[in-house]
């Protein structure tokens, strides 16, 4: 059998994300911002219930029967995620994200696709928001073992499929040896 080529590496820059958010309708802006803040999959964002959220403890969770690997996912909520959730409070008694008072059923809609076009973002799927979150986490210095737990992945190799590091972010890592090697003349003798 042929080995599967799963090499999709697509994530947004901060500037692209800001542009996309500015082009989205307000109700979709909240879901996208929450996905960028938490790394959750589309179905976990769209189906999120208030019973899965504790604003005081800054924590949410995805039940095992709702996660891809069938294990519960603990979601520590950063300030951006908390603010998104607070703005959704009171819109629906059970579900977090709504449109015109009704729970979201989808987010990968015409409005989503139109916003991508207006923002000039090509070859981008909703699931790539998860790649974007993981990449931003990695660029911020989040170690693989922490990112694995935050993203709910079973293996470190899955983390590597999602977290892409741009070459300019690797420059900092490469420069760490500068202090060690400084002062040595390592050039070849002529």
């Amino acid at each position: 059998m042929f080995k599967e080529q799963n090499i999709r590496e697509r994530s947004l820059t901060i500037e692209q994300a800001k542009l996309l958010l500015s082009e989205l309708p307000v109700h979709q802006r909240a879901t996208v911002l929450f996905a960028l803040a938490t790394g959750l999959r589309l179905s976990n964002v769209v189906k999120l219930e208030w019973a899965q959220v504790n604003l005081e403890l800054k924590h949410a969770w995805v039940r095992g029967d709702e996660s891809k690997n069938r294990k519960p996912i603990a979601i520590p909520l950063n300030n951006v995620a908390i603010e998104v959730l607070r703005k959704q409070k009171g819109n629906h008694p059970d579900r977090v994200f709504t449109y015109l008072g009704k729970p979201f059923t989808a987010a990968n809609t015409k409005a989503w696709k139109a916003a991508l076009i207006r923002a000039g973002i090509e070859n981008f799927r909703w699931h790539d928001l998860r790649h974007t979150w993981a990449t931003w986490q990695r660029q911020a210095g989040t170690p693989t073992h922490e990112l694995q737990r935050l993203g709910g992945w079973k293996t470190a190799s899955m983390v590597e499929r999602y977290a892409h590091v741009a070459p300019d972010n690797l420059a900092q890592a490469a420069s760490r040896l500068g202090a060690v090697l400084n002062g040595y003349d390592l050039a070849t003798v002529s």
Side-chain angles (χ1 to χ4, degrees), residues 34 50 53-58 77-91 96-97:
F34 190 76
W50 288 112
V53 175
N54 186 323
L55 290 173
E56 290 74 35
L57 294 178
K58 296 185 175 187
L77 300 170
N78 58 35
N79 291 338
V80 172
I82 292 288
E83 190 57 32
V84 169
L85 292 173
R86 282 196 176 124
K87 288 180 179 177
Q88 303 310 306
K89 218 50 178 145
N91 291 343
V96 173
F97 295 104

